[in-house]
């Protein structure tokens, strides 16, 4: 049996329940779709370390990692997505590896075209964010 590749993602939540969405630049099949920032866990790296590293590389921010969201979210064959709530500890997000970033306020969570893997996560997260 082949080993599963773990991909991690951060649902970054800010004041007022705003959630950060990132627009994919690549690959072509996913470009233009919206996702939560993150990436693959490197060999020898734990999942939370990978999440912190990915947000530093992709967004230029340091994050504080919170609770895990759900279990394993299925991706393409051989890949699984693991998701955490997070907040920005320092820095201002910038799209270093994405086409754009967008803060979505409650009521705007579904105003972007989420990628297939991220849409059910946003639906779950919506129920976790307390209304103001």
């Amino acid at each position: 049996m082949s080993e599963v590749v773990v991909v991690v993602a951060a649902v970054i939540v800010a004041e007022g329940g705003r959630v950060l969405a990132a627009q994919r630049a690549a690959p072509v099949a996913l470009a233009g779709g919206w996702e939560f920032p993150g990436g693959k866990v490197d060999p020898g790296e734990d999942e939370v370390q990978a999440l912190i590293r990915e947000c530093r590389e992709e967004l230029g921010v340091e994050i504080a990692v919170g609770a895990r969201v759900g279990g394993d979210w299925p991706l393409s064959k051989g890949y699984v997505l693991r998701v955490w709530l997070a907040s920005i500890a320092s820095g201002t997000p910038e799209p270093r590896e994405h086409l754009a970033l967008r803060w979505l306020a409650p009521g705007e969570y579904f105003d972007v075209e989420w990628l297939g893997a991220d849409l059910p996560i946003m639906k779950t997260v919506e129920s976790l964010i307390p209304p103001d």
Side-chain angles (χ1 to χ4, degrees):
M1 184 173 134
S2 62
E3 194 168 320
V4 171
V5 176
V6 176
V7 177
V8 293
V11 177
I12 299 174
V13 181
E15 188 177 320
R18 294 177 306 133
V19 172
L20 187 66
Q23 190 176 34
R24 287 290 298 246
V28 172
L30 300 176
W34 293 81
E35 67 176 359
F36 296 108
K40 292 180 199 164
V41 177
D42 289 338
E45 187 177 45
D46 82 24
E47 294 170 2
V48 171
Q49 288 173 328
L51 191 61
I52 292 168
R53 174 186 53 75
E54 286 286 348
C55 287
R56 187 179 300 134
E57 291 172 1
E58 290 184 10
L59 305 172
V61 298
E62 295 297 323
I63 61 166
V65 179
R68 181 127 175 237
V69 178
D72 288 353
W73 300 86
L75 292 173
S76 58
K77 186 175 172 127
Y79 289 80
V80 66
L81 180 62
R82 296 183 179 152
V83 180
W84 282 263
L85 294 173
S87 59
I88 294 177
S90 66
T92 300
E94 54 186 64
R96 294 180 173 182
E97 297 180 13
H98 291 90
L99 295 173
L101 300 176
R102 183 169 167 193
W103 286 105
L104 302 171
E108 299 175 343
Y109 293 154
F110 302 100
D111 287 1
V112 298
E113 191 172 328
W114 290 102
L115 293 173
D118 294 78
L119 181 60
I121 296 165
M122 186 66 250
K123 288 178 178 175
T124 298
V125 167
E126 181 182 30
S127 68
L128 300 176
I129 299 172
D132 279 345

